[in-house]
Amino acid sequence: MSKIGQRGIHYLQRLNSSSFTTVSASSIENGQNRVIDASLTLIRERAKLKGELVRLLGGAKASTSLLGVPLGHNSSFLQGPAFAPPRIREAIWCGSTNSSTEEGKELKDPRVLTDVGDVPVQEIRDCGVDDDRLMNVISESVKLVMEEEPLRPLVLGGDHSISYPVIRAVSEKLGGPVDVLHLDAHPDIYDCFEGNKYSHASSFARIMEGGHARRLLQVGIRSINKEGREQGKRFGVEQYEMRTFSRDRDVLENLKLGEGVKGVYISIDVDCLDPAFAPGVSHIEPGGLSFRDVLNILHNLQGDVVGADVVEFNPQRDTVDGMTAMVAAKLVRELAAKISK
């Protein structure tokens, strides 16, 4: 069995392989449909609750809502990012810091930040649902959040494969492409890495193929090969590598995006940061951005941010005091401030 196949074994498959239990195909399909329906109902009702609260309070044109997607099986190396969402949430509300963002927004105000919980990825996979359907569930979950105006999704990964169904959903729900600002050590634009079209290393190839992004700006890149550059040229990607960051800094700290499209989407892979700032990642790549570099890019960005994600934090590689969790949490906090208005 291939490496991908080994990672994709579901509990149901293991159950069926035993000599004691056999589940019919029709029972499996009916059960899968019920699990998916229940999963979407969970997100729908939570989003409705948060949306009603924000509308009752009034005054918000856009409000950030967290949605966790604890998915790690599309990683090409370690699967620890699946455990990240609860660790990020814990760090957001850690008593060591206050609940105000750098620009003065109060996170305890539901008009700035709410939380609709997690897509139950493991339960969906345990009943044998394949990645085609799982990606659709993620997309539908994002759309359910967006249906409850003024909520906008800020997604907690999870590996970077989740950005494809999330950005697809945002684009489809808004009725057109968005501009994407992607901060990462890697371009994640392989055509089909290790034979997996949903690999975390191929997510932006799927996004660009689907026409979900007009412009894709990739910042922090420092692990890129020939295919990454060729794919970038194929899709017209604006790739800003770390080796030229000092030269590009003025441009990147004064970006204006989203004009003529449906808005701006920001995707932050925590490994865009130098490992001195964020050691708790699966793919450690020295020579990255400082935390202040990233905040300067975010704070100075001009554009209507319609959604975002923070991905690839791996709690299993974090320091004992949870430093990277706090870093990921601060990224979430500042993104929430950028989205909400």
Side-chain angles (χ1 to χ4, degrees):
M1 181 179 289
S2 70
K3 184 178 179 183
I4 293 295
Q6 290 173 335
R7 288 205 303 272
I9 292 176
H10 310 296
Y11 180 76
L12 182 63
Q13 292 171 299
R14 294 197 296 272
L15 189 67
N16 261 345
S17 67
S18 74
S19 58
F20 304 104
T21 307
T22 301
V23 183
S24 70
S26 61
S27 295
I28 291 172
E29 183 177 1
N30 289 336
Q32 289 174 343
N33 290 338
R34 289 196 298 271
V35 168
I36 289 172
D37 287 345
S39 301
L40 293 174
T41 298
L42 186 69
I43 301 300
R44 180 185 296 109
E45 294 305 314
R46 286 176 174 169
K48 183 177 180 180
L49 170 64
K50 304 301 183 179
E52 292 289 2
L53 174 60
V54 172
R55 290 190 291 270
L56 172 65
L57 295 173
K61 295 181 179 178
S63 175
T64 305
S65 193
L66 300 181
L67 172 67
V69 184
L71 185 156
H73 65 276
N74 283 321
S75 173
S76 60
F77 182 42
L78 302 174
Q79 298 185 35
F83 302 105
R87 296 294 299 275
I88 297 173
R89 288 187 176 97
E90 180 183 10
I92 290 171
W93 304 112
C94 175
S96 70
T97 185
N98 61 49
S99 58
S100 181
T101 69
E102 287 199 0
E103 295 183 330
K105 291 189 178 178
E106 175 53 58
L107 294 175
K108 290 183 179 179
D109 183 342
R111 293 169 295 184
V112 176
L113 184 65
T114 57
D115 191 341
V116 300
D118 290 350
V119 177
V121 172
Q122 191 58 53
E123 289 84 351
I124 293 170
R125 296 192 72 237
D126 276 346
C127 72
V129 170
D130 63 21
D131 265 8
D132 288 334
R133 295 183 73 191
L134 176 58
M135 294 296 167
N136 288 337
V137 171
I138 295 169
S139 289
E140 288 305 310
S141 298
V142 171
K143 290 178 182 179
L144 289 172
V145 173
M146 296 177 70
E147 282 179 6
E148 296 295 333
E149 293 184 2
L151 301 188
R152 294 184 177 185
L154 201 175
V155 180
L156 309 179
D159 68 45
H160 221 150
S161 67
I162 71 166
S163 292
Y164 165 55
V166 174
I167 293 175
R168 177 179 66 182
V170 170
S171 170
E172 289 178 351
K173 188 66 178 174
L174 295 177
V178 293
D179 285 346
V180 177
L181 174 60
H182 169 207
L183 290 87
D184 201 328
H186 318 86
D188 292 350
I189 203 165
Y190 284 100
D191 179 57
C192 190
F193 192 71
E194 293 184 336
N196 180 9
K197 67 180 179 179
Y198 293 124
S199 169
H200 70 156
S202 298
S203 50
F204 286 90
R206 303 290 82 80
I207 289 163
M208 299 308 288
E209 285 174 350
H212 305 303
R214 177 188 64 175
R215 294 178 66 187
L216 171 58
L217 287 76
Q218 299 185 319
V219 181
I221 305 297
R222 56 194 185 277
S223 179
I224 183 171
N225 60 14
K226 181 180 179 182
E227 182 177 352
R229 291 191 175 93
E230 288 177 347
Q231 286 280 88
K233 291 179 181 177
R234 173 189 172 194
F235 293 117
V237 180
E238 299 163 59
Q239 294 177 330
Y240 293 91
E241 298 185 38
M242 282 307 300
R243 61 192 175 89
T244 60
F245 181 72
S246 59
R247 184 182 69 203
D248 300 329
R249 179 187 294 274
D250 186 61
V251 172
L252 296 173
E253 291 185 353
N254 293 280
L255 291 172
K256 189 174 184 179
L257 301 174
E259 290 187 337
V261 288
K262 298 300 181 177
V264 183
Y265 185 95
I266 302 173
S267 180
I268 302 181
D269 185 321
V270 177
D271 72 22
C272 73
L273 293 160
D274 190 272
F277 300 92
V281 295
S282 299
H283 299 267
I284 293 172
E285 292 288 347
L289 296 162
S290 74
F291 194 81
R292 187 51 56 183
D293 291 334
V294 173
L295 288 193
N296 287 344
I297 292 169
L298 294 181
H299 288 163
N300 295 330
L301 170 67
Q302 297 180 57
D304 183 21
V305 180
V306 294
D309 62 59
V310 175
V311 298
E312 296 286 355
F313 163 45
N314 185 344
Q316 295 177 330
R317 301 196 88 183
D318 203 0
T319 58
V320 292
D321 58 355
M323 183 175 83
T324 313
M326 292 299 291
V327 166
K330 177 134 185 176
L331 290 172
V332 170
R333 292 158 63 99
E334 297 304 313
L335 283 169
K338 194 72 180 178
I339 294 170
S340 299
K341 56 187 178 182

